[in-house]
Amino acid sequence: MIEYKNLNEPIYLKLKEMILNGELKQGEKIIQEKIAETLGVSRTPLMKALLALENEYLVESIPRRGMYVRALGKKEIIDIYVCREALEGMAARLLALSKDTKVIEALKACFYPFSSHKKINIDAYSKADEKFHSLLIKLTGNEPLDKIYFFGNIHEKVIGHGLVRPPEETLEEHFKIINAIEEEDPDRAEQYAREHIKKSRALLLDQ
Amino acid sequence: MIEYKNLNEPIYLKLKEMILNGELKQGEKIIQEKIAETLGVSRTPLMKALLALENEYLVESIPRRGMYVRALGKKEIIDIYVCREALEGMAARLLALSKDTKVIEALKACFYPFSSHKKINIDAYSKADEKFHSLLIKLTGNEPLDKIYFFGNIHEKVIGHGLVRPPEETLEEHFKIINAIEEEDPDRAEQYAREHIKKSRALLLDQ
DNA sequence: TTTTTGTATTTTGTATACAAAATGTAATGT
DNA sequence: ACATTACATTTTGTATACAAAATACAAAAA
C-alpha cells in the first residue's frame, strides 16, 4: 500500500518550531503574506498549517483581524494540566488493562539511561519525560484520545526547555506508574498518573 | 467592543448538518468543486470548513486523495466513549469543587420538564441529555477542556436521534451526578459521571 | 495638546487559474 | 478473458488576482 504524505506538513512543522522556540512571540500577529514569503510558499498552504495550529491551541484566530500566536496565561496552563490529568490518568488505566508486555518495555525504555543513579542530564531527561507522556497516550491505540492530546507542545512553551520539577522527584513517580501498569492494577495506575500531573500543577499554581 | 463573526461559519454549519443527517454518507468522498458549487462558494472557504471538521473527527483527509466523511466503526465509537468518560468525569469533579449555585441550577434546569414522572417524550429528553453533557463541560470554564470535547456531534451520528439507554434508567443517574456536585463531593461526582458513560459504553460494546 | 475626520496603505477573505497527481477508460498484447 | 499500457479526464494542491474590511497616518477642528 502506498503511503501518501501530507505535503504541507513541512510548513506546519516549521511554523510550530517558530512558535515554540519563540521566533514568533506570544500574542504576536501572524502577517500571512510576510510569513508566507519567508517560508517561500503562498498563503494557501500556509493557511492550512495555521488552521491546524489553531486546533492545537498554539494559534488564535480572530475573524477579519488575523491570526495570533496564542498567549498562554496562568489560567490556561493550569486548565491544560487539568486536561492532561484526566487524559493521562485514563491512558494509564487502559494500559494496565491491556496485558501487553511490549507496553511495559517501551515505557521502561524511556528511563533506562537514568536508572544508574549517576548524575542526570537535565536536557536528556526532559526529552525522555516528554517521550514517556506521549507514549502513555499513543500506546493505548485509542485514536480519538491521541487526537485530543496535543498538549505535549505546550510543555516546552511553558517551561522553556526545562522541567517543572527535578528528575530526582519525578523519576520515582514515573516508575510507580509503570509498575502499576505492569501489575495490571488500573486503579493505582490511574491514581499515580494523576497525582504525578497534579503535583506539577500545584507547583505551577504557586508561581 | 465589536464582535467579529466568523464568516465561513455558515459553510461549516451547513456541511456539519449534511454529515450528521446523512446527506453526505459515511466514507463518501467529498468532491470539493461539487460541494462548493452546491453551497455557492469557492473551494477556498470550503477548505477552511473541511479542515475544521477534520479536527472534529467528522472528516478524514488523505493527502493527494481527498477528504472523506469519516466512517465510525465500533472501535472508534467505543474509544470516543472512553474519552468522554475521562473528560466528563473530570468536569463533574471540577464543578463539585466550584461552589457555584448557578451551576446546579443550570444542570437541574435540563431535566425539570421530566421530573413529573409522567410519560417522557423521547425526542425532548434526547435533546436535554445532549444539553446536560455539553453543559457539564462548558460550566467548568476550562477552555481547553471545551475545545477537546467535540464528541457531542458524534452522539447523533451513532444512535440516529435516539438514546443508548431508556430515560427511566438515565434520568436517575443524571440526578445522582447533580446531587453529588451540589453536595460538593468531587469523588462521587466524578465516579457517577464516569459510571454513567461507562454503562452506555458497555451496551454499545455488546451490540 | 487632544480629538476627530478623511485618505492611503495594509491585510484579510474569496475567487480563479494552472500545474501535478490521481482516476477512469479504451486500446493493445498475452 | 485478463492484464497492461497509453491517453483523456477529473481532482487536488498551490499561486495569484482582486474586492472588502481593517489599520495607519496625516490634516483639520475643538
Side-chain angles (χ1 to χ4, degrees):
Chain A
M1 190 173 149
I2 307 155
E3 188 61 35
Y4 295 91
K5 57 166 168 269
N6 193 338
L7 294 167
N8 62 321
E9 186 152 303
I11 305 173
Y12 160 83
L13 288 173
K14 179 64 186 159
L15 262 176
K16 188 154 150 179
E17 195 194 314
M18 287 171 77
I19 292 172
L20 292 177
N21 72 17
E23 202 171 331
L24 291 167
K25 291 178 199 63
Q26 301 237 352
E28 183 178 340
K29 180 168 183 182
I30 295 165
I31 293 157
Q32 292 170 27
E33 202 110 29
K34 215 161 98 183
I35 301 290
E37 195 178 23
T38 65
L39 297 184
V41 294
S42 78
R43 280 170 57 207
T44 314
L46 174 68
M47 179 54 78
K48 285 189 191 179
L50 285 171
L51 288 169
L53 291 167
E54 190 195 356
N55 285 297
E56 288 186 19
Y57 222 71
L58 286 174
V59 162
E60 193 181 2
S61 165
I62 303 174
R64 272 275 166 217
R65 301 290 304 283
M67 308 281 264
Y68 296 80
V69 179
R70 193 181 277 271
L72 291 178
K74 196 168 180 174
K75 172 165 168 41
E76 275 101 342
I77 292 167
I78 300 296
D79 283 353
I80 285 169
Y81 271 71
V82 167
C83 292
R84 286 188 59 195
E85 189 180 320
L87 298 177
E88 292 190 31
M90 178 57 84
R93 165 175 295 274
L94 293 172
L95 293 180
L97 294 165
S98 75
K99 309 189 181 208
D100 184 344
T101 53
K102 285 191 174 175
V103 163
I104 317 290
E105 276 314 300
L107 292 176
K108 281 183 177 169
C110 296
F111 300 111
Y112 276 146
F114 311 105
S115 53
S116 63
H117 287 272
K118 301 276 165 70
K119 63 176 178 353
I120 290 174
N121 179 320
I122 294 285
D123 213 53
Y125 186 79
S126 178
K127 280 202 177 67
D129 180 71
E130 197 169 321
K131 174 83 179 170
F132 172 76
H133 288 279
S134 158
L135 259 184
L136 213 58
I137 301 293
K138 288 230 185 296
L139 288 171
T140 64
N142 182 321
E143 209 187 301
L145 177 62
D146 189 41
K147 203 168 171 54
I148 64 181
Y149 184 86
F150 45 69
F151 304 115
N153 309 324
I154 309 290
H155 215 263
E156 290 184 58
K157 208 179 173 187
V158 175
I159 325 290
H161 267 281
L163 299 159
V164 182
R165 291 186 288 141
E168 295 76 33
E169 201 177 323
T170 57
L171 186 58
E172 195 195 326
E173 292 175 17
H174 289 141
F175 277 115
K176 277 178 81 174
I177 298 169
I178 296 172
N179 287 339
I181 293 171
E182 191 166 19
E183 290 163 22
E184 295 175 9
D185 187 336
D187 289 333
R188 274 176 55 233
E190 176 160 23
Q191 186 198 327
Y192 290 150
R194 284 175 68 153
E195 280 174 4
H196 177 65
I197 307 284
K198 203 172 184 174
K199 280 181 185 166
S200 295
R201 174 155 58 90
L203 210 67
L204 288 168
L205 196 60
D206 289 340
Q207 287 169 11
Chain B
M1 190 173 148
I2 307 154
E3 188 62 35
Y4 295 91
K5 56 166 169 268
N6 193 337
L7 293 167
N8 61 320
E9 187 153 302
I11 305 172
Y12 160 83
L13 289 173
K14 179 64 186 161
L15 262 175
K16 188 154 150 179
E17 194 195 316
M18 287 171 78
I19 292 171
L20 292 177
N21 73 16
E23 201 172 333
L24 291 167
K25 291 178 198 64
Q26 302 236 351
E28 181 177 341
K29 181 169 183 182
I30 295 167
I31 293 156
Q32 292 169 28
E33 202 110 30
K34 216 162 96 184
I35 301 290
E37 196 179 21
T38 63
L39 297 184
V41 294
S42 78
R43 279 169 58 210
T44 314
L46 173 68
M47 178 54 77
K48 286 190 189 179
L50 285 171
L51 288 170
L53 291 166
E54 189 195 357
N55 285 297
E56 287 185 21
Y57 223 71
L58 286 174
V59 161
E60 194 180 3
S61 164
I62 303 175
R64 273 272 164 220
R65 301 290 304 283
M67 308 282 264
Y68 297 79
V69 179
R70 193 182 277 273
L72 291 178
K74 195 168 181 175
K75 173 167 167 37
E76 275 101 342
I77 292 167
I78 299 297
D79 284 352
I80 285 169
Y81 270 72
V82 167
C83 292
R84 286 188 59 194
E85 189 180 321
L87 297 178
E88 292 189 31
M90 178 57 84
R93 165 175 294 275
L94 293 173
L95 293 180
L97 294 165
S98 75
K99 309 190 180 205
D100 185 344
T101 53
K102 284 191 175 174
V103 163
I104 317 292
E105 275 315 299
L107 292 175
K108 280 184 178 168
C110 296
F111 300 112
Y112 275 148
F114 312 103
S115 53
S116 63
H117 286 273
K118 301 275 165 70
K119 62 177 178 354
I120 289 175
N121 178 321
I122 294 283
D123 213 53
Y125 186 80
S126 178
K127 280 202 175 68
D129 180 72
E130 199 169 319
K131 174 81 180 172
F132 172 76
H133 287 280
S134 159
L135 260 184
L136 213 57
I137 302 292
K138 288 228 186 297
L139 289 171
T140 63
N142 184 320
E143 209 187 301
L145 177 63
D146 190 41
K147 203 169 170 57
I148 64 181
Y149 184 87
F150 44 71
F151 304 115
N153 309 324
I154 309 291
H155 214 263
E156 290 185 57
K157 208 179 172 186
V158 174
I159 323 292
H161 268 280
L163 298 160
V164 181
R165 292 185 288 142
E168 295 75 34
E169 201 176 322
T170 57
L171 186 58
E172 195 194 326
E173 292 175 17
H174 289 141
F175 277 116
K176 276 177 82 175
I177 298 168
I178 295 171
N179 287 338
I181 293 172
E182 190 165 19
E183 290 163 21
E184 296 174 11
D185 188 335
D187 289 334
R188 274 176 55 232
E190 176 160 24
Q191 186 198 327
Y192 290 150
R194 284 175 69 152
E195 278 173 7
H196 177 66
I197 306 285
K198 204 172 184 173
K199 280 181 185 167
S200 293
R201 173 155 59 91
L203 210 68
L204 288 167
L205 195 61
D206 289 340
Q207 287 169 11

